[in-house]
Amino acid sequence: MNRVVVRYGELSTKGRPVRRNMEEQLRSNLAAALDARDIDGEVERTAGRLIVETDATDAAADAASALPGVVSASPARAVAPEAETIYDALADLARERADEFDTYAVRASRAGDHPFTSPELEREGGAAVGEAVDAAVDLEDPDMTFEADVRHQVAYVFAERREGPGGLPVGTQAPLVALVSGGIDSPVAAFEAMRHGSPVIPVYVDLGDYGGVDHRARALSACERLAERAPNHDLRPYVVDGGASVDHIADHVDRGRMLSLRRYFFAVAEAIAEQEDAAGIVTGEALGQKSSQTARNLQVTSAAVDTPVHRPLFSADKPEIVERAKDLGTFEDAGISAGCNRLAPDKPETKGRLEGLLKVEPDDIFERAKEDAAGAERVDI
Ligand code: ATP
Ligand code: MG
């Protein structure tokens, strides 16, 4: 193997200049990802694909398939676009992986002028594999699919497609501030924003006596997982010392406490968004997931800020979010104790109304939010 073929999806439907920019963004993201993993390789844009020239095809394919915008990546062998050469390469590949399959199929795709057709390649290529190893053709449900992707000047031969997250490359949208608690939901929500092009600026609010050091640790480790998916963007989180403000809220607000807390979070996030010229706020909230996330309560909390609040998990079910957290690598840490339940009142509000909350909520929480945001430190991860 000497190449990795990297495929992308959505961006191939955009108009030409937009698409060019997006491809260039993905190319530089991938080059940075290889760098971050100490993989030597050159990334090149070719018609509809990125090609990595490298000896470390396995590691490079893993790096590529972690990046937003990538649909799939295949360790491949680049050979001359001639029929016999392609059949030999298919047979070699089949021998290398002989103990991994009993049934197989050969698929070919072709662009350019060649003295052969794709069906011909599939038929003859299939025969070459059959001679090389002891296995049977199964076009319906093969254990392994060998593929030849034949272009003008070169043919790529490969036997696997490692799935990527799809979406759009990070950096093709304006940045967003992501409120990250380190629980199950918020890292997944932040990644959804990244998966559609926005670099995120993570913000973690330390709840003081209501939080804990392990809270902070799990939030930072979630941010690390996010940063790995966009090594050429600045994903260092802001850690906000919210302890005093949270105590203040807890002293004054009982039933609607979690709503005022969220309103304070949003105000902190808005202040940081202004400072960073970010285009909005992302949270891990989902409709009805907990008492602070009823439709009424989302209305009351969103009213705290003018900046748009995005909720990529709005309609996602918990088991689905858990699966995505596992894929992202943030599920394990989310298991660490969730002490902030101490802050929740016995009878939390589920049908919050702004007029009612404003009667008890201290007026100064927004001023405090600005001050707390201004004092926040951006930490290295
Ligand atoms: P998560 O939603 O992160 O899994 P959770 O479900 O325990 O954790 P909620 O109480 O549902 O958190 O909080 C709703 C949203 O508020 C979170 O998804 C996150 O965006 C934000 N949030 C909660 N706590 C914090 C915090 N300490 N710092 C920053 N953002 C937070
Ligand atoms: Mg949640």
Side-chain angles (χ1 to χ4, degrees), residues 179-181 183-186 203-205 262 265 283-284 290 293:
L179 278 166
V180 173
S181 74
I184 294 170
D185 306 311
S186 51
V203 172
Y204 168 70
V205 183
R262 291 287 164 332
F265 283 172
T283 83
K290 38 167 84 172
Q293 297 170 21

Side-chain angles (χ1 to χ4, degrees), residues 182-184 214-215 218 221 325 330-339:
I184 294 170
D214 50 352
H215 259 197
R218 70 177 194 174
S221 103
T330 53
F331 182 70
E332 299 285 294
D333 285 327
I336 306 173
S337 81

Side-chain angles (χ1 to χ4, degrees), residues 279-293:
I281 300 168
V282 177
T283 83
E285 293 164 307
L287 183 61
Q289 197 194 71
K290 38 167 84 172
S291 57
S292 59
Q293 297 170 21

